[in-house]
Amino acid sequence: MSTQSVVETVTALVKPILDDHHFYLTDVEFVKEGGGWYLRVYIDKTGGITLDECVMVSEALSEKLDAMDPDPIPQQYFLDVSSPGAERPLKHETDYEQAVGDYIHVSLFKKLDGKKVFEGTLKELLPDQLTLTVKDKSRKFDQVIDRQLIASARLAIEF
């Protein structure tokens, strides 16, 4: 089974578990590291996810995977259900939508106004652009960024 089909299968299995508890899925990875395979499921909720909630989802998902015949993941693997972390990447549209009002880090493919990196509060999200409220020394201004220019974005910690 390909890594993509494992990700799709696990996503379909875990979504109802998360929906029942008002959690949301931020990412699923099935990767080989060192000598082992790792199935990583990143979950979150408004206000942050707890360790006990990760354990509960891990146990429920594990039961669903074990009950499938044939086994969707025939090789041995480690299941890891966790929080995406304080500086998690923004990969999907829902990640961006949930980050409105949050401080984010944006890296661009090419320079905009002489810079390739911006940090600020995500003020507005439109289909083709986003607006960050950026602090530069003692002044604040709104920076509009064409979404096609964005190489990567993640939540950031403001200092």
Side-chain angles (χ1 to χ4, degrees), residues 34-105:
W37 281 92
Y38 293 83
L39 175 57
R40 294 194 178 103
V41 179
Y42 297 98
I43 62 173
D44 211 350
K45 71 172 185 193
T46 304
I49 202 86
T50 68
L51 181 59
D52 288 341
E53 290 165 334
C54 289
V55 169
M56 182 269 304
V57 170
S58 178
E59 289 171 352
L61 177 59
S62 185
E63 283 178 21
K64 282 189 169 193
L65 285 166
D66 289 346
M68 291 186 74
D69 189 24
D71 191 338
I73 312 170
Q75 65 264 51
Q76 286 190 327
Y77 62 93
F78 298 97
L79 174 60
D80 177 20
V81 176
S82 63
S83 161
E87 293 194 340
R88 70 178 171 86
L90 304 177
K91 293 184 175 183
H92 310 286
E93 189 63 19
T94 54
D95 297 336
Y96 282 94
E97 290 166 0
Q98 291 166 343
V100 172
D102 291 339
Y103 193 78
I104 68 170
H105 175 100

Side-chain angles (χ1 to χ4, degrees), residues 104-118:
I104 68 170
H105 175 100
V106 178
S107 297
L108 306 179
F109 289 114
K110 64 180 186 178
K111 288 184 180 181
L112 176 65
D113 299 334
K115 296 169 64 175
K116 283 184 80 172
V117 174
F118 291 90

